[in-house]
Amino acid sequence: MKIDPIELILNPKENIKKTFYFISGNEFSLIQKTKNIILDFYNKESEFSKKKIKNISSYKNEIGLFESKNIYLIDDIKNIDESRLDAIKLSGDVFVFVSENSPKNKSIKNIFLKRSDSFLIDCYEMSKQVKVRLFNAYLNKKNIVLEKDLFWKI
């Protein structure tokens, strides 16, 4: 399933609970913000331990004595396929894949797009309209009021 990163930023409390997240695109700061929102969601939701692994092949279902679940950050998208995802989805762990946009990951994006336990999040350069929308949302959240003339000088 595909979701809009801007909606995720503006409404982070919406139901975003999935097993797999595939974040890609060419807008690095948007990718990082999206990843952080997902991590914050799981930190508040329950006690997830954050772990970084090289790729999906490095995953081992490890259950610690005092921790119940892990959230894995994975930057290398090698070896991702349906069967591997099916094999690890019952672990209760969460997997966040982050990859810059590339022709190589088109087939991988299709895998995540079709799965009901996954979100595909494409992060591309934002238009001026989207930036204004995000800026206004930030100002409202912080209860900051700007005069209209000052707003356009920023």
Side-chain angles (χ1 to χ4, degrees), residues 21-33:
Y21 300 85
F22 188 83
I23 307 168
S24 73
N26 61 8
E27 182 69 42
F28 183 74
S29 60
L30 186 56
I31 290 170
Q32 292 304 312
K33 180 66 175 173

Side-chain angles (χ1 to χ4, degrees), residues 31-132:
I31 290 170
Q32 292 304 312
K33 180 66 175 173
T34 303
K35 178 180 78 172
N36 289 338
I37 286 174
I38 294 167
L39 293 175
D40 290 347
F41 174 79
Y42 282 99
N43 258 353
K44 290 175 187 171
E45 184 73 16
S46 59
E47 291 302 314
F48 274 78
S49 295
K50 182 173 74 170
K51 296 187 176 185
K52 188 168 183 144
I53 58 176
K54 179 175 171 63
N55 58 39
I56 197 73
S57 299
S58 304
Y59 171 73
K60 293 181 179 105
N61 191 1
E62 302 170 340
I63 299 175
L65 184 59
F66 298 106
E67 58 191 49
S68 58
K69 298 178 185 176
N70 297 307
I71 183 163
Y72 289 93
L73 300 173
I74 306 168
D75 292 327
D76 186 351
I77 60 172
K78 291 179 185 172
N79 303 320
I80 296 176
D81 59 33
E82 285 277 352
S83 61
R84 193 172 304 269
L85 295 177
D86 287 340
I88 63 173
K89 75 177 179 182
L90 299 177
S91 67
D93 292 326
V94 174
F95 301 85
V96 179
F97 300 91
V98 178
S99 174
E100 287 186 24
N101 205 28
S102 160
K104 295 178 188 176
N105 62 10
K106 184 175 181 176
S107 61
I108 295 171
K109 282 183 173 185
N110 285 331
I111 292 171
F112 288 101
L113 187 61
K114 294 175 188 173
R115 297 180 66 94
S116 63
D117 59 358
S118 303
F119 277 143
L120 171 64
I121 308 167
D122 283 327
C123 299
Y124 293 107
E125 189 173 344
M126 295 178 284
S127 67
K128 180 180 176 182
Q129 179 183 5
V130 169
K131 290 177 184 177
V132 168

Side-chain angles (χ1 to χ4, degrees), residues 6-24:
I6 306 306
E7 291 304 319
L8 183 65
I9 292 168
L10 294 174
N11 303 306
K13 293 185 170 69
E14 294 295 316
N15 187 14
I16 64 165
K17 204 172 206 176
K18 295 288 181 183
T19 302
F20 304 106
Y21 300 85
F22 188 83
I23 307 168
S24 73

